[in-house]
Amino acid sequence: MNFSRKRNIVKLKNHPFGRIFWKYFEELYLRTLSTNQSLRKQTFQVIPYLVGALITGTVAFLYSRIFSLAEHGSILLFEYSPLSVFVITPLSFVLSWWVAQRFAPYTKGSGIPQVMAALELEKPEEKSFIRSFVGFKVILVKIFSSAIKVLGGGIVGREGPTIQIGSSIFLEIKRALPKWWINISEKNMLIAGAASGLASAFNTPLGGVIFAIEELSKFHIKYYKTPLFIAVITAGLTAQGLGGSYLYLGTPKTGFEGLKVIVGIVLVGGIGGYLGSKMCVLLLKFMQFFGKITSNPRKVLVIIVCGLWVATTIYFLGFEAMGSGKEIMERVLFTNYKSVEWYLPLVRIVGLMTSFGFGGAGGVFAPSLSTGATVGAYVSQLLHLTGGNANLLILIGMTAFLTGVTRAPFTSAIIIFEMTDRHSIIFFLLIGGFIANVIANFVSSHSFYDQLKDLYLKDVKEKIEVKIE
């Protein structure tokens, strides 16, 4: 019976139609086998991104709660004893700086330039420094240092730090993989981690993707688009699952009525872009001045002076001179009390510079948004705009100021759009961002993050030269 069946199969294969059928069947089998191999390869590639995204979303949620508690704690301390800020603020600044300086020096500041620098460390002798910018120790120090600073009333945010934390988590996942695991690009993991961090921090998945493309990626997105999208979606869903579905700023009413609004858009875009970029120029000068101080006691003295300045503004101006500024954004967007004093944008700018420039962890994303909101609110006052028209200028001010800092108008506009769910104003946000970008380029040709990244890379190269000698 078996011999007969084999003979029939041979006859079928030798038949002209049989040969065609057999050839087709063989090609189908080989194609299926190849597809399964490709599927297995893709599965092994995606798993680390999924794990990294789940952990990033969880850590970002926990970090947001720690940061919020610290920010709320600073308000309670001020309410309990307004004079206490003159002790607590300088002490918290010194502690924030010391922790970062002692345990992980490159946790100072935002975190975005550090990720950008890590992406450019390609030579064998440079690779060992990547862990200085992203890694497990960076995560712990970043969270503690930034929380301490905001507890003292420092004008800093958690969004930039969350980006560095996300990249650190993804790098640790990559390095924990066994040797037999399929090769995964370290750069792709760092980029996906940064995008996941931003998406988790603001609940803006599209903003995370655009940020990765506009700010971090120097090569074609086709090489990492699927893992990137999966990581951003997973991290965002994880953060949402833990904290609930929410909009960072809710849904403010917006309007566009009259010629004055057009004038306001142009003014806010230009002023926001100028102030954002000018702040970065002055902030870099202050950071370079602080970096030249070699004596630790003198550094501590400068930090105490910075703390006393911030404490003074808090004592006389109250809550709007402290923290990330989310309360300011919510007030001007969701209440009828939209007016701000002319000096409030300047107070926020100087407060951000003195909270950020000496080191210690803390980002500029949220403070930039709140400062931009005050710019938009003040211009709307001058033009006697109210309601939805004023809200439109406030949101454009946020976009413009952030663009002046980052030079990423698409990212800035998309983040504001996703934070407020205002589909109808996306074009106005983009216009404000582009105006800000043009004005900012007249102030300085390079973004704040790019210049910080270059300083970090220069520092690494100097350390390598010392090692060689």
Side-chain angles (χ1 to χ4, degrees), residues 182-402:
I182 192 168
N183 184 46
I184 294 175
S185 167
E186 191 171 84
K187 278 189 176 182
N188 290 359
M189 290 289 279
L190 289 173
I191 292 170
S196 299
L198 181 61
S200 303
F202 277 127
N203 191 28
T204 54
L206 186 56
V209 173
I210 299 298
F211 170 76
I213 296 170
E214 189 175 22
E215 192 73 34
L216 298 179
S217 181
K218 303 298 181 186
F219 53 97
H220 205 286
I221 189 176
K222 73 179 181 180
Y223 297 116
Y224 66 101
K225 63 180 180 181
T226 301
L228 172 66
F229 295 156
I230 289 171
V232 168
I233 292 167
T234 305
L237 287 174
T238 302
Q240 273 196 19
L242 293 169
S245 182
Y246 70 98
L247 291 171
Y248 188 86
L249 285 178
T251 53
K253 292 181 180 179
T254 55
F256 181 76
E257 300 168 8
L259 181 63
K260 283 198 293 186
V261 179
I262 299 174
V263 174
I265 291 171
V266 175
L267 283 174
V268 171
I271 295 170
Y274 175 80
L275 289 177
S277 55
K278 193 66 178 176
M279 178 194 76
C280 292
V281 170
L282 297 174
L283 180 52
L284 278 167
K285 287 181 178 178
F286 175 61
M287 292 174 72
Q288 288 168 347
F289 159 75
F290 187 81
K292 290 177 182 177
I293 301 173
T294 55
S295 166
N296 280 338
R298 288 184 181 179
K299 284 186 176 182
V300 170
L301 180 62
V302 172
I303 296 168
I304 289 172
V305 171
C306 289
L308 289 173
W309 167 260
V310 173
T312 303
T313 58
I314 293 171
Y315 183 78
F316 286 106
L317 302 178
F319 307 136
E320 295 193 340
M322 64 196 300
S324 64
K326 190 175 180 182
E327 292 78 11
I328 297 174
M329 293 184 274
E330 290 175 341
R331 173 178 73 78
V332 296
L333 284 171
F334 296 104
T335 71
N336 292 326
Y337 180 51
K338 298 184 182 298
S339 62
V340 297
E341 299 295 338
W342 64 268
Y343 52 77
L344 186 57
L346 299 178
V347 168
R348 296 289 302 177
I349 287 171
V350 178
L352 174 56
M353 289 170 58
T354 48
S355 300
F356 184 96
F358 61 82
V364 298
F365 251 73
S368 294
L369 295 179
S370 58
T371 305
T374 63
V375 172
Y378 187 68
V379 172
S380 66
Q381 280 176 233
L382 295 178
L383 297 176
H384 304 290
L385 296 173
T386 58
N389 290 329
N391 282 349
L392 177 62
L393 293 195
I394 291 165
L395 294 176
I396 288 173
M398 294 162 65
T399 306
F401 198 95
L402 185 59

Side-chain angles (χ1 to χ4, degrees), residues 63-102:
Y63 179 35
S64 70
R65 290 295 179 267
I66 293 169
F67 197 89
S68 295
L69 285 172
E71 202 164 12
H72 186 61
S74 68
I75 294 172
L76 291 177
L77 286 169
F78 177 69
E79 287 179 336
Y80 178 74
S81 174
L83 284 170
S84 66
V85 293
F86 291 102
V87 176
I88 294 171
T89 303
L91 282 178
S92 71
F93 280 19
V94 171
L95 181 58
S96 175
W97 166 79
W98 180 82
V99 168
Q101 187 68 21
R102 173 69 178 79

Side-chain angles (χ1 to χ4, degrees), residues 52-53 55-57 59-60 115 134 139 159-173 189-198 200:
I55 297 173
T56 298
V59 173
V115 175
V134 282
I139 298 170
E159 292 72 27
T162 308
I163 288 169
Q164 190 178 12
I165 288 168
S167 285
S168 296
I169 290 169
F170 272 66
L171 181 70
E172 292 298 338
I173 296 294
M189 290 289 279
L190 289 173
I191 292 170
S196 299
L198 181 61
S200 303

